[in-house]
Amino acid sequence: MRENTTRPPVLPVAPTGGRLRPLGLDEVRITGGFWARRRHTNATATLGHCRDWMERVGWTGNFRAAAEGRIHRDRRGREFADSEIYKLLEAMAWEAGSGGAATTLDAESAMLTEAVASAQEPDGYLNTAFGRPGQQPRYSDLEWGHELYCHGHLIQAGVAQARARGEGELTKIARRAADHICATFGRGGIEGVCGHPGIETALVELARLTGEQRYLDQAALFVDRRGHQALADIEFGRAYYQDDVPVRDATVLRGHAVRALYLAAGAVDVAVETGDDALLAAVVRQWEAAVARRTYLTGGMGSHHRDESFGDDFVLPPDRAYSETCAAVASVMLSWRLLLATGEPRFADLAERTLFNVVATSPSADGRAFFYANTLHRRTRGAVPAADADSPRAESSLRAPWFAVSCCPTNVARTLAQLPAYLATVDDHGVQLHQYADAEIATSLAGGQGVALRVRTDYPSGGTVAVRVVRSPDRPWTLSLRVPEWAAGATASLVGPDGTRSAVPPGTAEVTRVFRPGDEVRLELPVTPRWVVADPRVDAVRGTVAVQRGPLVYCAESVDLPDGREVDAVRVDPSAEPEDGPGDAGGTVVVAGEIGATPERSDDAAWPYEPLDRPTARAADRTGIVLVPYHSWANRGPSTMRVWLPTAEPRTTEP
Amino acid sequence: MRENTTRPPVLPVAPTGGRLRPLGLDEVRITGGFWARRRHTNATATLGHCRDWMERVGWTGNFRAAAEGRIHRDRRGREFADSEIYKLLEAMAWEAGSGGAATTLDAESAMLTEAVASAQEPDGYLNTAFGRPGQQPRYSDLEWGHELYCHGHLIQAGVAQARARGEGELTKIARRAADHICATFGRGGIEGVCGHPGIETALVELARLTGEQRYLDQAALFVDRRGHQALADIEFGRAYYQDDVPVRDATVLRGHAVRALYLAAGAVDVAVETGDDALLAAVVRQWEAAVARRTYLTGGMGSHHRDESFGDDFVLPPDRAYSETCAAVASVMLSWRLLLATGEPRFADLAERTLFNVVATSPSADGRAFFYANTLHRRTRGAVPAADADSPRAESSLRAPWFAVSCCPTNVARTLAQLPAYLATVDDHGVQLHQYADAEIATSLAGGQGVALRVRTDYPSGGTVAVRVVRSPDRPWTLSLRVPEWAAGATASLVGPDGTRSAVPPGTAEVTRVFRPGDEVRLELPVTPRWVVADPRVDAVRGTVAVQRGPLVYCAESVDLPDGREVDAVRVDPSAEPEDGPGDAGGTVVVAGEIGATPERSDDAAWPYEPLDRPTARAADRTGIVLVPYHSWANRGPSTMRVWLPTAEPRTTEP
């Protein structure tokens, strides 16, 4: 843990203002349970998997080809391939930073950094797709070129290295790149923005690292320029890259989901550093509208495959959910920034839902295959993708080892690597716990007095979170625990060190006292499975119900049905409560319902629409139907799956 | 009408085999009613609108630019822009051919033909996007280049001119183009196919016109080559252009809907001309599966915006329906060919549904704006598109005067121009009526004896179709009338010349006798409005009902709701039968239901999903809700609209 050091904490996001102060990867350690297992797989399998794939498909080689003057001939991958190397470098840095002692990751990172360094041009510009003889000129295609986007990920990687290991070569490369961008796009320079946001958060973080105002100014300039038709109109419309309305005037997140969320995160960073409350309020308003009308039960965002965009309000078809993994990563980035700025638990609520049901869903159990899109309803059994070929398609089927557009694997990797930093914060009053995992926390309160906590829980399988005080100053302070929104309608309890038990509603539960080492505060959350229904305006799920247990969304998967039946034959009876199923608590859930035979093509009517009064014969015995956590589906071979389950009555025909 | 002429009838499709013989545009005339109005608008507004737009956006100019050697510099429009001129020429030919006497259309056609002729190369190749200095080489991009597709529409136009006016310059151009294609893609030539089918139907029709076997052989070759990975794999997969499975092995229509349907139509043409019953059976099987599982209530096909493709079975979201107008045109082409080949009324049933609910929906009342996609649920009021600017987007909102990809307007134009040919056929036993309109029919039965019929009806407003015999041979023959599938569950009656009335089920009703001039057969169809429900596997419309009246699908449109309310606030009571509304019969329909207030953003819950047991307050007074024919929507300014209406109970929570 973090002790006797003068180096600043290893922080993914380090605002100088806002309500809460985040803790570094050297202050919080996840020691067991759901996320520890995933972080172990990420460190031991996913990072190497990404490194090897990018070497193999030639994306790493692009940097060497650029240095050797043959890139115009030999370049591999899409225009944004460089950014995947940077995201992997960022993930390696956070992973190393949460470990402490030097690891082989540092050596691998150094080798990749050397390749990257070789391709940087004297003025700091670094992109293997533009600007060299035989290539398109620099910044000649701001709409689609992704040059600033790639520079943004480079800078994020440089910041991560500095925070985790102190300033090194990668940080110097990032500074040179940032200086080039300020010189090129600053006042008096190109009046443009990038078709894909991302540079904004990066520049603010570099300003936080270095204290250099000009990086913050440039980020603010990019945020302010957008929405004034800075980019060309395109088939998808300017809303696709949020260039339709200025950030501070927009009322909802729209267009390409990842772009919208990265931009919003950058706007929050700018707002916090510049004290721009109006800008912060605008982003909060957009977040509220998107969460209330444009978000799937899983926390996933984006319902259009065509342009990877948010749909209109309440257009949330489960079987056409795009819910891109990268949009979930971006949503967690945004919610975390809003939590730090405002201290409001609703932002941690969405982050939790998104982490457990989208971010945790993307990687396979072995960490070597990924979902790009995360559908909520799979109607056909997908074919197993070739283990040695990348997938040209981002469609939801089985996880694929790699994609032609492979933004998601490295994005999951860097998110899991920095995850411990999302668990807790401190403020003048004490310590706040936002996400629950078996963990050790050691930091200092305002005034520098040390505090250490030991969190014991098997959340989300179990609902009990026990927080034991290991070290505490000899003065009163407040321990705050988030009571998740999903606990609404059930009773959560807080048990204080003195054994007093009190019911706590969703929001924040607090204990203020002079804590002694050994004191324990226990939060008991009602993680019994329960039915969930959607707002009637979500037309696509009318007449269906879903099951949630704690923060986990459940689904029916065909591999758990008898006789090779498919999920579309399932009808459930919501008048009976769902119950924990066989196996470990928090594993399966069982609901009452029917499993009809899946009709064959030969059973079809010639035309699937008929007069209302025509009788429809369908009968099946009542039985128990096993559901599994959504994040765990598609790890047992090709299957069909659905989250929203039709109720036993096939149709609503009577008012 | 057609008399004392030796020229063959003006036939859009002229198979030499199959069950039924089609009638030409000179044998059937639509004299009044629904389609007469639309054909008048097409002839007097749409044809000129398309001609003027293509002159203005430079697509016509491309031919002159090619002839003058400046096309590499000056070309305008997408790679397939040439085909729009050809489709307009085809439409003009059918329109002229159904008129009889020479019109200004002939002069306009001659001018366009002159421009086209100037761009044809000595070997017959004709495409303004490829092959000239400074352009990509010919056939260097079969996946996306559309060169064979464009040649196909050129050939169709040449055939139309020959049938309508006798062989002229355009026919000669088409023959030269076809000869070039046979020389280039025949055995021993390029082993390729076009990414976009269309050449197949064209070559078969040219073979039928000229009797030249080689055109038929080339079409058969294109049909047989497809499905053997003749084209590259792409992001959408080879199913996008039906190159995943050979035509005769495929079990369902899939991929890009227009491509799938054009190819299927070409396969039917080849099967009929070569007596290939196995190929015909394969297409029938694919049609059956697509109609049973992948077709909207309107007859529209294609639910994916991303790749304009059919979705998986039963993925038919109303609010994301793509239902491209061109797919409807292609579906009518396919169904017509299958009807001629088999004589089965089910193919005329789908054609009717598609004509009234998609083809008739695309053009605005004035014939100068069009839907490209035809959604079944519009949630937001669209902005009025600029009358003088084309739309870069194919999204469903208000109709637009033109599109960057403007395949639909000219496709609607050529379909309406040839519509009379879809009304009736003859065979050895007599005359068959397939589509109902106020019309005059004069042809000859097998043996050459003349027969003439006068059809009087205000269908689809009214259900009575009166067929009066004007001329008849002095021997028994059979008059067959289609009883539409939509009449199922109600009673249709046939009244013979002797006044005998008999109930007739959906399918075919027949009267066989020695008809005398003045004899009348009356078909009485039950066009009272009725509720329709969907197969429960169409998840997206669970808990909703729709209204159909005769072949017309109805919808709720916000302009008919009080207090500026939106359609998503409508709940209907299907226990009460829908009734004809105010205004002309067959205009509006009224259903019982509630119109709640449309919630404001401020009324939203923070999160649109909630525990099942949480009460949801929603109450509104029962009232009458006016519905209008779906084809007529969006002619009264920006509005919201929906076809599938939720029942008054907002949720199904009890089994």
Side-chain angles (χ1 to χ4, degrees):
Chain A
M1 300 302 287
R2 178 157 198 271
E3 291 174 37
N4 320 320
T5 166
T6 56
R7 192 201 299 157
V10 183
L11 289 166
V13 182
T16 61
R19 265 281 290 114
L20 306 175
R21 178 172 75 75
L23 302 185
L25 296 170
D26 50 344
E27 296 175 295
V28 182
R29 174 170 299 147
I30 296 176
T31 49
F34 186 97
W35 290 118
R37 288 190 295 275
R38 277 154 185 79
R39 296 191 72 247
H40 177 75
T41 303
N42 188 54
T44 58
T46 303
L47 293 182
H49 175 85
C50 293
R51 180 202 59 221
D52 295 346
W53 264 94
M54 290 196 280
E55 187 61 43
R56 170 178 170 182
V57 294
W59 300 356
T60 317
N62 286 338
F63 294 96
R64 295 188 285 269
E68 293 162 15
R70 49 183 177 78
I71 187 64
H72 61 288
R73 201 176 57 238
D74 298 346
R75 192 173 185 283
R76 304 283 303 282
R78 293 287 301 273
E79 59 275 26
F80 36 75
D82 295 1
S83 67
E84 303 309 333
I85 307 292
Y86 306 148
K87 281 152 71 184
L88 176 59
L89 280 165
E90 182 188 347
M92 288 174 160
W94 298 132
E95 186 57 38
S98 50
T103 70
T104 58
L105 282 176
D106 295 288
E108 290 168 5
S109 173
M111 285 173 55
L112 284 174
T113 301
E114 196 180 325
V116 170
S118 70
Q120 188 166 37
E121 301 187 44
D123 68 348
Y125 179 89
L126 209 177
N127 189 294
T128 67
F130 290 86
R132 288 186 166 75
Q135 295 183 312
Q136 272 185 268
R138 289 180 185 183
Y139 307 120
S140 56
D141 183 10
L142 287 173
E143 283 73 18
W144 299 107
H146 288 76
E147 288 162 278
L148 289 168
Y149 167 86
C150 289
H151 279 109
H153 279 299
L154 171 63
I155 292 165
Q156 289 281 9
V159 169
Q161 186 196 50
R163 296 246 173 88
R165 289 294 189 232
E167 288 210 19
E169 179 58 22
L170 189 57
T171 318
K172 295 191 181 70
I173 298 170
R175 277 175 175 264
R176 284 195 295 268
D179 293 339
H180 152 76
I181 288 163
C182 292
T184 309
F185 287 87
R187 300 199 191 291
I190 302 173
E191 282 287 328
V193 299
C194 186
H196 200 312
I199 185 74
E200 299 82 1
T201 45
L203 285 170
V204 172
E205 217 52 50
L206 185 62
R208 289 163 171 170
L209 175 76
T210 61
E212 297 273 10
Q213 178 72 24
R214 69 183 185 284
Y215 301 138
L216 174 60
D217 294 343
Q218 186 61 52
L221 209 52
F222 282 136
V223 169
D224 288 337
R225 276 179 190 161
R226 194 172 293 267
H228 300 280
Q229 290 68 55
L231 299 164
D233 193 8
I234 53 174
E235 185 189 358
F236 302 147
R238 285 200 174 90
Y240 173 77
Y241 32 47
Q242 297 74 47
D243 193 35
D244 54 336
V245 180
V247 176
R248 55 188 74 238
D249 301 337
T251 58
V252 65
L253 298 175
R254 69 223 176 275
H256 188 280
V258 179
R259 296 172 199 239
L261 290 156
Y262 279 0
L263 175 65
V268 172
D269 286 338
V270 168
V272 167
E273 296 305 317
T274 61
D276 188 339
D277 295 342
L279 180 59
L280 178 62
V283 176
V284 169
R285 189 171 66 238
Q286 294 163 36
W287 182 94
E288 287 171 343
V291 171
R293 298 183 162 213
R294 300 184 175 187
T295 303
Y296 284 98
L297 181 63
T298 54
M301 294 183 176
S303 61
H304 289 194
H305 285 242
R306 176 166 166 270
D307 53 0
E308 305 186 306
S309 72
F310 284 97
D312 287 340
D313 291 345
F314 303 111
V315 180
L316 295 164
D319 53 9
R320 288 295 287 167
Y322 196 64
S323 183
E324 184 182 341
T325 300
C326 288
V329 166
S331 174
V332 171
M333 286 170 59
L334 173 60
S335 291
W336 177 243
R337 283 160 172 79
L338 289 171
L339 174 63
L340 293 178
T342 66
E344 297 171 15
R346 57 181 175 159
F347 300 113
D349 285 334
L350 184 70
E352 174 182 62
R353 182 177 291 273
T354 308
L355 285 167
F356 277 113
N357 299 297
V358 189
V359 174
T361 303
S362 176
S364 60
D366 70 0
R368 300 178 192 280
F370 308 85
F371 278 132
Y372 185 117
N374 296 274
T375 188
L376 274 70
H377 183 182
R378 175 75 193 175
R379 296 166 172 273
T380 56
R381 301 185 179 211
V384 183
D388 61 349
D390 64 10
S391 165
R393 288 168 275 289
E395 290 292 349
S396 314
S397 65
L398 286 176
R399 296 170 179 89
W402 202 250
F403 304 95
V405 175
S406 217
C407 42
C408 298
T410 54
N411 236 351
V412 169
R414 68 180 185 131
T415 301
L416 291 175
Q418 65 188 256
L419 196 70
Y422 295 137
L423 264 58
T425 58
V426 296
D427 67 3
D428 294 346
H429 311 290
V431 180
Q432 304 80 38
L433 300 188
H434 305 289
Q435 305 297 342
Y436 298 120
D438 211 61
E440 295 172 2
I441 300 170
T443 183
S444 52
L445 298 180
Q449 302 137 310
V451 61
L453 305 173
R454 183 76 181 85
V455 182
R456 289 246 175 268
T457 182
D458 59 354
Y459 189 86
S461 300
T464 299
V465 180
V467 184
R468 178 174 298 274
V469 176
V470 176
R471 183 176 341 118
S472 171
D474 187 21
R475 65 161 175 89
W477 57 274
T478 301
L479 174 64
S480 304
L481 299 101
R482 179 179 61 99
V483 181
E485 46 78 24
W486 59 254
T491 305
S493 309
L494 186 71
V495 181
D498 53 6
T500 56
R501 169 185 299 269
S502 47
V504 285
T508 302
E510 298 186 340
V511 179
T512 303
R513 61 182 286 147
V514 180
F515 286 98
R516 309 278 176 218
D519 282 352
E520 183 174 272
V521 173
R522 215 161 66 249
L523 179 65
E524 293 174 357
L525 297 170
V527 290
T528 48
R530 62 204 185 287
W531 295 112
V532 179
V533 292
D535 184 303
R537 291 173 291 179
V538 185
D539 286 290
V541 298
R542 176 171 289 101
T544 69
V545 292
V547 168
Q548 216 182 304
R549 184 185 185 283
L552 299 181
V553 172
Y554 276 65
C555 65
E557 189 176 6
S558 57
V559 288
D560 297 306
L561 301 180
D563 317 326
R565 296 193 171 184
E566 303 295 349
V567 292
D568 289 350
V570 166
R571 295 291 181 274
V572 297
D573 173 4
S575 66
E577 288 302 318
E579 294 173 356
D580 280 327
D584 308 343
T588 63
V589 164
V590 176
V591 298
E594 310 166 352
I595 309 172
T598 300
E600 298 299 321
R601 174 69 192 89
S602 54
D603 306 323
D604 288 347
W607 177 242
Y609 310 98
E610 54 191 4
L612 176 59
D613 50 10
R614 196 178 299 178
T616 59
R618 53 169 27 255
D621 297 339
R622 191 55 56 99
T623 179
I625 298 162
V626 173
L627 308 182
V628 296
Y630 172 71
H631 66 73
S632 72
W633 88 279
N635 274 305
R636 296 173 290 173
S639 64
T640 58
M641 177 280 298
R642 69 186 295 169
V643 167
W644 290 101
L645 305 169
T647 52
E649 177 186 44
R651 293 174 187 160
T652 311
T653 56
E654 296 306 311
Chain B
M1 301 302 286
R2 178 155 198 271
E3 292 175 38
N4 321 320
T5 166
T6 55
R7 192 199 303 156
V10 183
L11 290 167
V13 182
T16 62
R19 265 280 292 114
L20 307 176
R21 178 172 75 74
L23 302 185
L25 295 170
D26 50 344
E27 296 175 294
V28 182
R29 174 172 298 147
I30 295 176
T31 49
F34 187 97
W35 290 117
R37 288 191 294 276
R38 276 154 184 78
R39 295 191 72 249
H40 177 76
T41 302
N42 188 54
T44 57
T46 303
L47 293 181
H49 175 85
C50 293
R51 180 202 59 220
D52 295 348
W53 264 94
M54 290 195 280
E55 186 62 43
R56 169 179 171 183
V57 294
W59 300 357
T60 317
N62 286 338
F63 294 95
R64 295 188 286 267
E68 294 163 15
R70 49 183 177 79
I71 187 65
H72 61 287
R73 200 176 57 238
D74 298 345
R75 191 173 186 284
R76 305 280 303 279
R78 294 286 301 273
E79 59 275 27
F80 35 75
D82 294 0
S83 67
E84 303 309 333
I85 307 292
Y86 306 148
K87 280 152 71 184
L88 176 60
L89 280 165
E90 183 188 346
M92 288 174 161
W94 297 133
E95 186 57 37
S98 51
T103 71
T104 56
L105 281 177
D106 295 288
E108 290 168 5
S109 173
M111 285 173 56
L112 285 174
T113 300
E114 197 180 326
V116 170
S118 70
Q120 187 166 38
E121 301 188 44
D123 67 350
Y125 178 90
L126 209 177
N127 188 294
T128 68
F130 290 85
R132 288 188 166 73
Q135 296 184 311
Q136 272 185 267
R138 290 180 184 184
Y139 306 119
S140 56
D141 183 10
L142 287 173
E143 283 74 17
W144 299 108
H146 289 76
E147 288 163 275
L148 289 169
Y149 167 86
C150 289
H151 279 109
H153 280 300
L154 171 63
I155 292 166
Q156 289 282 11
V159 169
Q161 187 196 50
R163 296 247 174 87
R165 289 294 189 229
E167 287 210 20
E169 179 58 23
L170 190 57
T171 318
K172 296 190 182 69
I173 298 169
R175 277 175 176 266
R176 285 196 293 268
D179 292 338
H180 151 76
I181 287 162
C182 293
T184 310
F185 287 87
R187 298 195 194 289
I190 302 174
E191 281 289 328
V193 299
C194 186
H196 200 313
I199 185 73
E200 299 81 2
T201 45
L203 285 171
V204 174
E205 216 52 52
L206 184 62
R208 289 164 171 169
L209 175 75
T210 62
E212 296 274 9
Q213 177 72 26
R214 68 181 186 283
Y215 300 138
L216 174 59
D217 295 342
Q218 186 62 51
L221 209 52
F222 282 136
V223 169
D224 288 338
R225 277 180 190 159
R226 195 172 292 267
H228 299 280
Q229 290 69 56
L231 299 163
D233 193 9
I234 52 173
E235 184 190 359
F236 302 147
R238 285 198 174 94
Y240 173 77
Y241 31 46
Q242 297 73 48
D243 192 35
D244 54 335
V245 181
V247 176
R248 56 188 73 239
D249 301 338
T251 58
V252 65
L253 298 175
R254 69 222 176 277
H256 188 280
V258 180
R259 295 172 199 238
L261 290 156
Y262 279 0
L263 175 65
V268 173
D269 285 337
V270 168
V272 167
E273 296 305 317
T274 61
D276 188 338
D277 295 343
L279 180 58
L280 178 62
V283 176
V284 169
R285 188 172 67 238
Q286 294 163 34
W287 182 94
E288 287 171 344
V291 170
R293 298 184 160 210
R294 300 184 174 188
T295 303
Y296 283 98
L297 181 62
T298 54
M301 294 183 175
S303 62
H304 288 195
H305 285 241
R306 176 167 166 268
D307 52 1
E308 307 187 303
S309 72
F310 284 97
D312 287 340
D313 290 346
F314 302 111
V315 179
L316 296 163
D319 52 10
R320 288 296 286 167
Y322 197 65
S323 182
E324 184 182 340
T325 299
C326 289
V329 167
S331 173
V332 171
M333 287 169 58
L334 174 59
S335 290
W336 178 243
R337 284 161 171 78
L338 289 171
L339 173 64
L340 293 178
T342 66
E344 298 171 15
R346 57 180 175 158
F347 300 113
D349 285 335
L350 184 71
E352 174 182 63
R353 183 177 290 273
T354 307
L355 285 167
F356 276 113
N357 298 298
V358 188
V359 174
T361 303
S362 176
S364 60
D366 71 359
R368 300 178 191 279
F370 309 85
F371 278 131
Y372 186 117
N374 296 275
T375 189
L376 275 71
H377 183 183
R378 176 74 192 175
R379 296 165 171 275
T380 56
R381 301 184 180 212
V384 183
D388 61 348
D390 64 11
S391 166
R393 288 169 273 289
E395 290 291 351
S396 315
S397 66
L398 285 176
R399 296 171 180 87
W402 202 250
F403 304 94
V405 175
S406 216
C407 42
C408 299
T410 53
N411 236 352
V412 169
R414 70 181 183 130
T415 302
L416 291 175
Q418 65 189 252
L419 196 70
Y422 295 138
L423 263 57
T425 58
V426 295
D427 66 4
D428 295 345
H429 311 290
V431 180
Q432 304 81 37
L433 300 189
H434 305 290
Q435 305 297 341
Y436 298 120
D438 211 60
E440 294 171 2
I441 300 169
T443 183
S444 52
L445 299 180
Q449 301 139 308
V451 60
L453 305 173
R454 184 76 181 88
V455 182
R456 288 246 175 269
T457 182
D458 59 353
Y459 189 85
S461 300
T464 300
V465 180
V467 184
R468 178 175 297 274
V469 175
V470 176
R471 182 170 347 112
S472 172
D474 187 23
R475 63 160 175 91
W477 57 276
T478 301
L479 175 64
S480 305
L481 298 101
R482 179 179 60 99
V483 181
E485 47 77 24
W486 58 255
T491 305
S493 307
L494 187 70
V495 181
D498 53 7
T500 55
R501 168 184 299 268
S502 47
V504 286
T508 302
E510 298 185 338
V511 179
T512 303
R513 59 181 286 148
V514 179
F515 286 98
R516 308 281 176 215
D519 283 351
E520 182 173 275
V521 173
R522 214 160 67 248
L523 178 65
E524 293 174 357
L525 297 169
V527 290
T528 49
R530 63 205 183 286
W531 295 112
V532 178
V533 292
D535 184 303
R537 290 173 291 179
V538 184
D539 287 289
V541 297
R542 176 171 288 102
T544 69
V545 292
V547 168
Q548 217 181 304
R549 184 185 186 284
L552 300 180
V553 172
Y554 276 65
C555 66
E557 189 176 6
S558 57
V559 287
D560 297 307
L561 302 180
D563 318 327
R565 296 194 171 185
E566 303 295 349
V567 291
D568 288 350
V570 167
R571 296 290 181 276
V572 297
D573 174 4
S575 67
E577 288 302 318
E579 295 173 356
D580 280 328
D584 307 342
T588 63
V589 163
V590 176
V591 298
E594 309 167 351
I595 309 172
T598 300
E600 298 299 321
R601 175 67 192 88
S602 55
D603 306 325
D604 288 348
W607 177 242
Y609 310 97
E610 54 191 5
L612 176 58
D613 50 10
R614 196 179 299 179
T616 59
R618 50 166 34 251
D621 296 339
R622 192 55 56 99
T623 179
I625 297 162
V626 173
L627 309 182
V628 297
Y630 173 71
H631 66 72
S632 71
W633 90 278
N635 274 305
R636 296 173 290 173
S639 64
T640 58
M641 177 280 299
R642 67 186 297 170
V643 167
W644 290 100
L645 305 169
T647 52
E649 177 185 45
R651 292 176 189 158
T652 309
T653 57
E654 297 305 312

